[in-house]
């Protein structure tokens, strides 16, 4: 794969190292963790899949003694016999060392890792390609990004790599799921995942999947929990103050990447309605680079008014993000209905045809129309 310098993520890593000596770089399979780690300047890189690396870290204290004062990458750290203990020793006994450990999002879901390293590490979630990455990859074609998806290997192909999507699904099951979760029904699990990709962006109802997957509702919920913990499916809970007019319990589910939505829907070319739907996924991916996933919700009332994304922060009013492929598609009724109940907070409409941010007054409310490239700055200023 051609080498590209992903400046956004490199800056995130360098900044995180100033706060904590241990960084856990997580992300789905093929998100580009290894290549990103290799592109860091002045690091000692260790591939933990190699026998010589595992031999070197058999005596952890001796290994870190030779690495004092250095920046160290431990790629695929789960290949070491006791990876959490390695990081604990680095943190507690070698404060001059900075460590970046990489692993799949499945491994970051391990309670063993979370409990052992509490307060010792900072986690960076490497999402699929964001807007800054598009600049770094010198390819700003949004149709290409939405159709191919944001995994670098897929994105950089000139043709949609159909067989790679299937191989990715097989690897996810065999190498990620089987390493941590005791799931036996491969066909049912992957069928549920396929259906969630096809219906991505919809309200989730467990009963809709029981018959096609041949499993009960509780198993559907259990499988969804696994998919959420491994960042393969994003579950957005409804934002509500429990008003009788609001949806208060039914979540929405989004596939982790637009390319998989397009592939499992059989789209080789995009229609205007396809662009609008995939645009939501691209905007959500951008939000994940700046905002904790657990604080991104959606809102819907029982009259059908809906807000794509509601950003929640403790003690502060909710900000909202609407996704429109074209500015002309914006319908103010949803925003105005939401702000009747929640008058405070910022309003963003992210459009693909907005070159410069502009704030307009809609129904007496300021609404910022901006492009994907401006969203990060707007969110940073909002925090």
């Amino acid at each position: 794969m051609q080498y590209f310098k992903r400046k956004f993520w490199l800056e995130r890593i360098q900044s995180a190292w100033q706060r904590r000596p241990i960084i856990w770089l997580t992300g789905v399979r093929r998100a580009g963790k290894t290549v990103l780690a290799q592109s860091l300047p002045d690091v000692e890189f260790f591939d933990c899949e190699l026998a010589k690396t595992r031999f070197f870290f058999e005596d952890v204290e001796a290994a870190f003694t030779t690495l004092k004062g250095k920046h160290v990458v431990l790629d695929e750290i789960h290949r070491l016999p006791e990876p959490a203990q390695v990081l604990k020793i680095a943190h507690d006994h070698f404060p001059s060392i900075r460590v970046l450990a990489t692993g799949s999002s499945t491994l970051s879901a391990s309670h063993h890792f979370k409990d052992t390293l509490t307060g010792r590490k900072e986690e960076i979630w490497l999402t699929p390609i964001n807007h800054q990455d598009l600049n770094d990859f010198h390819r700003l074609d949004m149709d290409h990004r939405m159709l191919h998806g944001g995994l670098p290997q897929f994105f950089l192909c000139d043709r949609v790599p159909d067989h790679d999507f299937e191989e990715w699904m097989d690897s996810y099951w065999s190498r990620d799921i089987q390493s941590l979760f005791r799931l036996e029904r491969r066909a049912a699990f992957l069928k549920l995942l396929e259906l969630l990709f096809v219906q991505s962006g919809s309200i989730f109802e467990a009963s809709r999947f029981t018959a096609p997957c041949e499993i009960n509702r509780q198993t559907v919920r259990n499988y969804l929990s696994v998919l959420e913990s491994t960042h393969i499916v994003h579950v957005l809970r409804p934002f509500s103050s429990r008003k009788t007019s609001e949806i208060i319990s039914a979540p929405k589910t989004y596939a982790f990447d637009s390319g998989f939505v397009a592939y499992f829907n059989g789209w080789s070319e995009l229609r205007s309605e396809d662009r609008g739907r995939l645009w939501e996924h691209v905007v959500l991916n951008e939000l994940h680079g700046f905002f904790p996933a657990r604080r991104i919700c959606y809102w819907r009332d029982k009259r059908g008014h809906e807000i794509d994304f509601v950003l929640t922060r403790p003690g502060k009013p909710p900000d909202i993000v609407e996704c429109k492929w074209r500015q002309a598609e914006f319908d103010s009724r949803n925003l105005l209905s939401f702000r009747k109940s929640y008058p405070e907070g910022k309003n963003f409409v992210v459009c693909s045809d907005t070159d410069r941010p502009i704030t307009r007054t809609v129904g007496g409310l300021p609404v910022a129309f901006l492009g994907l490239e401006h969203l990060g700055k707007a969110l940073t200023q909002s925090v």
Side-chain angles (χ1 to χ4, degrees), residues 221-270:
R221 293 193 183 96
N222 292 342
Y223 285 0
L224 179 63
S225 178
V226 170
L227 293 168
E228 182 181 19
S229 69
T230 56
H231 299 317
I232 301 304
V233 172
H234 305 308
V235 180
L236 272 60
R237 273 73 186 182
F239 177 84
S240 171
S241 56
R242 297 199 169 271
K243 293 180 170 62
T244 58
S245 61
E246 296 176 324
I247 302 296
I248 62 174
S249 61
K252 291 180 71 173
T253 55
Y254 283 85
F256 79 97
D257 185 59
S258 64
F260 284 80
V261 178
Y263 172 72
F264 283 103
N265 276 284
W267 300 338
S268 57
E269 295 181 0
L270 297 181

Side-chain angles (χ1 to χ4, degrees), residues 164-204:
D164 282 356
F165 287 107
E166 296 292 347
E167 190 275 333
W168 188 96
M169 296 280 281
D170 290 338
S171 295
Y172 171 61
W173 169 264
S174 62
R175 299 192 63 183
D176 289 348
I177 296 303
Q178 293 305 301
S179 68
L180 266 187
F181 304 98
R182 296 180 179 179
L183 303 185
E184 298 178 353
R185 303 189 63 177
R186 178 183 184 277
F189 181 82
L190 293 181
K191 181 63 175 179
L192 174 63
L193 180 52
E194 178 182 335
L195 291 173
L196 288 172
F197 283 170
V198 169
Q199 302 174 29
S200 183
S202 302
I203 288 180
F204 175 82

